[in-house]
Amino acid sequence: MTELLKIEWLKIKNYSAFIVLSLFFALGVVGANYAVYVFKTNVIDKSDPTPGLISSIKFYDFAHTWQTTSYVSGFLLLLPGLLLILLITNEFNFRTHRQNILDGWSRSEFFNVKLALVVIAALASTLLVFLTGLVFGFASGTSFSFENIEAVGYFFLKSLTYNMVALLFGVLIRKTGFAIGLYFVYMFFENFISALLEGLSFYLKVQNGFDIGNMGDYLPMNASDALLTFPKNVVTDMAKNSSVAPHTYSWLIFGLAILYLAIFYVWSRSRIIKTDL
Amino acid sequence: MAVLTVENLRKDYGRIQALKGVSFSVPEGAVFGILGPNGSGKTTLLGLITDILKPTAGSYKLFNEEPNESHRRQMGTFLETPNFYHYLSAVRNLRISAAIKQRGGDDIDRVIEVVNLTQRKDSRFSTYSLGMKQRLAIASCLLGNPNVLILDEPTNGLDPVGIAETRELIKKLHQQGKTIIMASHLLDEVEKVCTHVAILKKGELIAAGHVNDILANEDIVEISAADMNKLQQVAKTLSGYTNLKAEENILKLFYPLGTADLEQINRSFFEHGVVLNGLQVKKKSLESKFFELTN
């Protein structure tokens, strides 16, 4: 695999979109968290409409920093997804996916190295989030703690999901513009359906006392989104404990997120292995 | 040893049968031309034997073994179009190919020189002309000096000098004992460089074997006279030719290769009271043979 990755690196290192998008993402993660940090301390805390209530929550204290950084950075995961779509559809546009096979890769080697990119991109994003969380935690003047560190794990899961969807769209659609367009359209569409399902879940609970959780969280990308929540605070607790909100079955959401990843894997792999290139 | 053995290979695209059960084998050291008009299944065939396409039925062997990727690393393959990363230079593109082939990393400058791209080796592929892209694809095939080359329309898009150079290159590789499998619709090209030929028509194999067996030439004697009717009557009384074809203002007599005697023909007609105003022998071109085989 090291050999395969070395070859993949030859393709990537001189690709300008790789450099630009990686930089955007890195700056975006740090910048977005910095913006939240500054806005919270300088604006919200100073003009707290609920004296003492909101300003009492410290987003970047060590008890919360992992969760806040992961949650805020999660919105930027479209960028690595975009980069992966580019890297995958480039192969189809340049027909180098054929040349790689002609030159002596097996089809599964071609797929495996792309899958490795997906995982590496997720790991790199997670490492960035971990470091950002660490820096902001110390900047808040609190002492180091691993409390709520599982949020970084959920960020990894979310990142992996976004990247796997990118891989699947790239492999299925092949055309760069279409793949990127549909990636966004799909995300919008899924969020729209998710919102409808959420409404339905509330309705069923209130009207029929029927509660199987928020069904909006059971969709492919929303499942991994749902695990990554904003730090618990007075406001979220109020929402959660209200009698109209459906119960959150975290284990079910987690199981579904893993199941979807497995489906993306099998689907994109079989596409490369079994069909004409 | 057979470099390639194809057994009853079939490929359907929906209801279209691109290749209808083709079988043949390519002996080591051959320059094997796959000849056929556009859409006859040449590229499909090459795609199948390189695992780019999946066959509907049938099988093939490389080097007498079940095919796998290690066989492909021993071949230089150029299929349909030059496939390179547009944003990388020639050298960087070849580094990738060489690394995948696990051979020929130190061979890059040599192959670039062979195809005359040394001056532009650090330019991005996207700045290349069609002919230069084609040359780079040929260079890539030569990486690591493989014993088998698969070339799909290698002279497509090349200028006349490039075509001649490529032809010389193929002849040179043949002399070194390399096996070359080459698809082409250019009969001239096949006639000039190939030792063996397989002819495809609408996905069917019409003929395969040694060039001289498949494309045996004939002498064609073209004659004309003022009175074409008389000419034809007399011609029918003559012997020695295998076929006679009357065209407007011209009569064609087909003789086995090397047996047409123009003096004798001229004398025969004169003795029968016909004065020829045109008499010449033409070698049957591969082109007409090709049309005959594929029509």
Side-chain angles (χ1 to χ4, degrees), chain A residues 11 91 101 105 107 276, chain B residues 11 51 54 72 85 87:
Chain A
K11 301 178 188 174
E91 303 276 10
I101 305 294
W105 266 357
R107 285 169 177 240
D276 291 344
Chain B
K11 177 68 182 173
D51 198 29
K54 294 287 183 190
R72 291 199 297 278
Y85 298 92
Y87 55 88

Side-chain angles (χ1 to χ4, degrees), chain B residues 72-142:
Chain B
R72 291 199 297 278
R73 290 199 286 269
Q74 298 165 42
M75 313 189 297
T77 308
F78 165 36
L79 192 70
E80 212 167 8
T81 48
N83 308 323
F84 294 101
Y85 298 92
H86 291 197
Y87 55 88
L88 294 179
S89 68
V91 171
R92 289 196 162 126
N93 267 299
L94 292 189
R95 269 189 208 139
I96 294 172
S97 296
I100 295 177
K101 285 171 198 265
Q102 301 176 8
R103 54 196 280 168
D106 46 5
D107 205 18
I108 291 172
D109 285 339
R110 178 188 73 87
V111 299
I112 286 182
E113 182 60 36
V114 170
V115 298
N116 292 331
L117 281 176
T118 303
Q119 282 193 321
R120 294 288 304 276
K121 66 176 184 170
D122 293 317
S123 306
R124 283 150 64 110
F125 178 74
S126 57
T127 67
Y128 276 23
S129 72
L130 178 60
M132 291 165 72
K133 289 175 179 174
Q134 196 86 1
R135 285 161 186 266
L136 184 61
I138 294 170
S140 177
C141 289
L142 299 175

Side-chain angles (χ1 to χ4, degrees), chain B residues 2 12 42 65 85 99 101 106 113 118 134 140 163 174 196 222 236 276 282 290:
Chain B
D12 300 344
K42 302 185 294 289
E65 292 171 20
Y85 298 92
K101 285 171 198 265
D106 46 5
E113 182 60 36
T118 303
Q134 196 86 1
S140 177
I163 292 174
H174 173 54
H196 294 69
E222 292 183 357
K236 281 175 181 162
L276 300 178
K282 280 195 166 172
F290 179 66

Side-chain angles (χ1 to χ4, degrees), chain B residues 224-227 230-231 266 269-278:
Chain B
S224 56
D227 186 346
K230 183 88 186 287
L231 181 75
N266 197 2
F269 278 102
F270 194 74
E271 282 167 359
H272 286 87
V274 178
V275 180
L276 300 178
N277 60 16

